[in-house]
Amino acid sequence: MCGIVGAVAERNIANILLEGLKRLEYRGYDSAGLTVIRDGELHRERQVGKVQALVDAVAVNPEFFDGHIGIAHTRWATHGEPAQRNAHPHVSGKIAVVHNGIVENYAELKEDLIAKGYVFTSQTDTEVVAHLINDIYKQTPDLLAAVRAVIPLLHGAFALGVIHVDCPEELITVRLGSPLVIGVGIGENFIASDQLALLPVTNRFMYLEEGDIAKLTRNSIQVYADGVEVKRQIHEIDAAQHNADKGEFKHYMLKEIYEQPDAVRRTIEMAVDNGQTSALREDFLQRHEAQLKGIKHVQVIACGTSYHSGLVAKYWFESLIRIPCSVEVASEFRYRNPVVIDNSLVICISQSGETADTLSALRDIQKQSPVGLVSLALCNVPTSSLVRETDIFLPTLAGPEIGVASTKAFTTQLAALMLLLLKVGVTQQRMTNENLNTLLGELQQLPGQLHASLQLDAPIKAMSEHFEYKKSCLFLGRGLQFPIALEGALKLKEISYIHAEGYAAGELKHGPLALVDKDMPIVVLAPKDSMFDKLKANMQEVHARHGELFVFASESSQMVAEDRLHVVYVPDVCETLAPIVYSVPIQLLSYHVAVMRGTDVDQPRNLAKSVTVE
């Protein structure tokens, strides 16, 4: 989940590389570095910490980095601690390499290279790649051929950018299991882990397929698959729609929280005409109706926040249209030799569409070839690997999400999952027109309800003051709110560094109640739904043991604040869609607690946005 950017151009590319790294910093920020070829030499700078440290270091002697070809990297550490010696690019002789992914067999390769006399200066698996290319290049002085010869030796998933002093017009790149795009310019070409990095210089992109190796010069792009030159389509995108900055907000996360009403509205309008509540759009997943008609089981595979959206979908699929639904964490699913039921709709949920475990789980299922298998990508990036490798693509129209803690990607996933359920329900005649009309009407009100929930920012900020010095926290919910409790705990722990756990409130007596004391804040999600009375009984259990309750309750619940019971009233919403609306208060709570504790909200320690390594 590191970030790669590279360029070959007629102009100085140092600032292009640095700007690209800033835009890729969500992928990792343990260290950063760049290398350019200038006057027949490699000029390299590497710094620990965020990209700004690299920018400052380059600014000391900018003339050293005045080059026309170069590669750069922002790192999320896997092999080796965050340190300057482990930062990319890695160099071997006249070769420099940047790498995203993991070389699983690097230890064996390293032993062989040491035996040949190569000296290693880092703890990384990447340095093996640099030495291997150098070793083969000595025998065959053709950079593309050398890189091509090295790839079969490497086990794992990776994307590479490679330059050589003797080939000052060539940038070689490889995509095998990790994302990589080519930016197409005029008299210049680029590579990056994400098109977002290149939007200041181009809006034309070529998306490499699995196993592709490409050679870029200023005026040409040659792509090879299995040793044969192939053509890859160039896509032109609207850069304005894909660009992202914080605007008036202090953090990307807060901006993205406030973008949720519009993002959810856009997602809903894929399937529902504005003001039309009697039917889904005729063109919504129309060409997939035959596939959807045959499914008898839903299998959701996802990680992190996306897994929580899948848990909500399980309640919906089983309660609303009576289709059994299983939800599993991709990193567990793929390693336990699972049985995939025939006629399953396999829903792979990923914000980036490049999540390594989710992709691998999908590929494993496809190898099993169960009867009637239909695969669907629920994803925010239409050009991603996940989208290309599934039968159906259902987009979430969240727009760029830069904050590591997912917010609008989560709520748009939930909205899209509801739309999918409605489509399946209608296609299989599992839903009455009355129920369909009711849910369509409720969906149309959802953006307004999300906007209303954002007006709770001030009381939630005041509530957050109680959390500043806490060390642990419990989130409780029942029914559809249980996955939101899990999501709330994840948000709080990842950006405020407070240990937090989400529990089904009915499980309190089975262990968690032992943790409750006067110093343990308990966050409760309490919409006025079918589980409300049982939830109140759980709250009494906490209150009786001197736990302090922080409750998000429906306006109609008539809950009254009292000693050690704090209440924020959330706008009334139908029980089915309440998980989407109740996501906003827990996001705001986590955000304000993190700000109060002085943590890095957008780039929390040890984390990165896209988990593209296993």
Side-chain angles (χ1 to χ4, degrees):
M1 75 188 100
C2 306
I4 289 172
V5 62
V8 53
E10 297 176 357
R11 53 176 161 163
N12 177 15
I13 47 83
N15 288 333
I16 294 173
L17 298 179
L18 292 170
E19 177 60 28
L21 289 185
K22 290 178 184 177
R23 290 166 167 263
L24 288 177
E25 199 165 24
Y26 70 89
R27 299 181 65 87
Y29 32 87
D30 291 331
S31 61
L34 87 165
T35 297
V36 300
I37 297 174
R38 179 178 179 273
D39 296 333
E41 294 182 350
L42 292 174
H43 290 258
R44 179 174 62 164
E45 181 63 62
R46 299 180 295 173
Q47 292 291 324
V48 175
K50 295 190 177 181
V51 172
Q52 189 57 48
L54 177 65
V55 173
D56 294 341
V58 170
V60 174
N61 294 295
E63 66 278 6
F64 289 173
F65 303 95
D66 185 359
H68 301 285
I69 183 170
I71 50 179
H73 187 273
T74 182
R75 182 172 187 247
W76 184 82
T78 53
H79 294 78
E81 64 184 356
Q84 189 174 51
R85 65 190 173 114
N86 292 326
H88 298 217
H90 287 283
V91 169
S92 179
K94 297 180 179 181
I95 287 174
V97 174
V98 289
H99 167 218
N100 174 30
I102 291 179
V103 179
E104 295 171 352
N105 62 328
Y106 84 99
E108 307 94 272
L109 296 170
K110 184 174 182 178
E111 287 183 11
D112 293 341
L113 288 163
I114 290 173
K116 289 183 176 183
Y118 284 91
V119 177
F120 284 78
T121 61
S122 77
Q123 302 166 305
T124 70
D125 53 342
T126 305
E127 194 174 1
V128 165
V129 181
H131 289 320
L132 281 171
I133 297 172
N134 186 21
D135 193 59
I136 293 176
Y137 185 86
K138 289 176 183 177
Q139 305 164 43
T140 308
D142 179 321
L143 187 57
L144 177 63
V147 173
R148 184 182 290 159
V150 165
I151 299 310
L153 306 178
L154 307 177
H155 300 166
F158 44 84
L160 300 173
V162 184
I163 57 175
H164 192 298
V165 168
D166 292 346
C167 311
E169 299 293 330
E170 296 180 15
L171 170 57
I172 308 299
T173 191
V174 181
R175 182 198 185 280
L176 188 65
S178 291
L180 198 91
V181 302
I182 293 175
V184 182
I186 300 173
E188 55 188 17
N189 290 303
F190 312 90
I191 63 169
S193 298
D194 186 331
Q195 63 193 21
L196 183 66
L198 302 177
L199 287 175
V201 290
T202 185
N203 69 334
R204 300 171 68 229
F205 296 95
M206 183 184 294
Y207 301 99
L208 295 182
E209 296 187 8
E210 188 73 358
D212 282 355
I213 301 176
K215 174 181 173 181
L216 283 68
T217 69
R218 297 178 187 181
N219 298 305
S220 67
I221 300 170
Q222 295 171 283
V223 181
Y224 299 87
D226 297 322
V228 178
E229 187 169 358
V230 295
K231 297 295 183 184
R232 298 292 180 229
Q233 184 178 353
I234 296 174
H235 302 264
E236 189 168 322
I237 68 168
D238 183 344
Q241 290 185 6
H242 289 78
N243 224 330
D245 60 59
K246 286 184 284 193
E248 63 184 18
F249 294 92
K250 185 177 180 181
H251 298 99
Y252 279 111
M253 182 182 178
L254 186 61
K255 173 179 178 281
E256 289 156 7
I257 289 172
Y258 273 80
E259 288 175 339
Q260 288 177 112
D262 285 340
V264 168
R265 175 187 52 76
R266 288 194 302 270
T267 300
I268 291 171
E269 286 178 353
M270 289 190 303
V272 184
D273 284 316
N274 187 31
Q276 172 59 262
T277 60
S278 61
L280 295 169
R281 287 182 184 269
E282 289 186 4
D283 59 351
F284 177 60
L285 298 181
Q286 184 178 36
R287 66 189 182 93
H288 300 294
E289 288 176 354
Q291 293 168 295
L292 295 176
K293 192 170 185 178
I295 64 169
K296 297 179 181 178
H297 172 257
V298 174
Q299 174 69 65
V300 178
I301 301 169
C303 299
T305 286
S306 297
Y307 169 71
H308 297 154
S309 67
L311 291 175
V312 175
K314 175 179 175 66
Y315 282 87
W316 285 343
F317 272 102
E318 295 190 347
S319 64
L320 296 176
I321 59 175
R322 307 303 295 162
I323 292 181
C325 179
S326 306
V327 187
E328 293 206 47
V329 176
S331 58
E332 290 295 319
F333 180 87
R334 57 175 300 217
Y335 290 111
R336 67 169 186 81
N337 194 23
V339 175
V340 180
I341 299 172
D342 288 346
N343 301 304
S344 284
L345 172 65
V346 177
I347 303 175
C348 300
I349 309 176
S350 168
Q351 184 270 333
S352 67
E354 303 292 349
T355 306
D357 284 314
T358 305
L359 277 167
S360 295
L362 169 66
R363 292 163 184 163
D364 291 345
I365 291 171
Q366 290 170 333
K367 289 176 184 176
Q368 293 184 30
S369 300
V371 175
L373 171 70
V374 180
S375 59
L376 181 146
L378 183 61
C379 181
N380 197 42
V381 183
T383 55
S384 65
S385 300
L386 191 66
V387 172
R388 292 196 296 270
E389 296 183 29
T390 46
D391 301 316
I392 304 173
F393 171 41
L394 181 56
T396 57
L397 303 182
E401 187 179 70
I402 305 302
V404 166
S406 182
T407 52
K408 61 178 179 173
F410 179 62
T411 49
T412 53
Q413 284 173 356
L414 292 175
L417 284 164
M418 175 53 68
L419 296 175
L420 175 63
L421 175 140
L422 295 179
K423 182 65 176 182
V424 174
V426 169
T427 301
Q428 296 196 6
Q429 298 182 334
R430 291 174 176 267
M431 178 170 286
T432 66
N433 286 334
E434 181 181 0
N435 288 343
L436 176 64
N437 290 341
T438 298
L439 282 168
L440 288 174
E442 296 288 355
L443 276 170
Q444 300 247 28
Q445 296 179 41
L446 191 55
Q449 291 165 332
L450 289 171
H451 179 76
S453 66
L454 289 170
Q455 309 313 306
L456 304 175
D457 185 72
I460 291 173
K461 184 177 181 181
M463 177 185 281
S464 70
E465 296 175 4
H466 295 271
F467 291 73
E468 184 175 2
Y469 300 107
K470 301 298 183 183
K471 295 182 178 180
S472 294
C473 177
L474 288 179
F475 282 74
L476 302 179
R478 295 198 72 146
L480 280 164
Q481 294 299 325
F482 169 46
I484 308 307
L486 294 173
E487 176 64 10
L490 176 61
K491 285 289 160 286
L492 188 67
K493 73 177 73 169
E494 67 183 339
I495 64 169
S496 74
Y497 315 149
I498 294 175
H499 172 256
E501 298 295 335
Y503 269 94
E507 290 292 293
L508 267 175
K509 294 185 288 291
H510 297 273
L513 204 57
L515 297 172
V516 174
D517 60 23
K518 61 183 179 61
D519 294 319
M520 171 74 79
I522 314 292
V523 179
V524 184
L525 303 169
K528 187 82 163 55
D529 58 18
S530 57
M531 303 294 288
F532 183 64
D533 289 336
K534 291 187 178 295
L535 183 66
K536 285 198 297 184
N538 300 137
M539 291 168 57
Q540 287 298 324
E541 294 167 353
V542 172
H543 205 250
R545 287 156 179 83
H546 309 292
E548 190 162 10
L549 291 158
F550 299 86
V551 184
F552 295 107
S554 301
E555 292 175 341
S556 60
S557 68
Q558 299 182 332
M559 289 195 66
V560 178
E562 56 183 85
D563 183 45
R564 301 185 68 77
L565 172 59
H566 312 268
V567 182
V568 170
Y569 297 102
V570 180
D572 287 329
V573 59
C574 74
E575 181 172 347
T576 302
L577 301 182
I580 303 177
V581 173
Y582 276 72
S583 298
V584 174
I586 61 169
Q587 294 167 359
L588 287 170
L589 176 64
S590 299
Y591 172 78
H592 286 301
V593 172
V595 170
M596 197 162 295
R597 288 169 63 90
T599 63
D600 191 332
V601 173
D602 287 333
Q603 297 174 339
R605 68 189 183 202
N606 302 333
L607 299 178
K609 185 70 175 172
S610 288
V611 184
T612 58
V613 294
E614 300 171 8

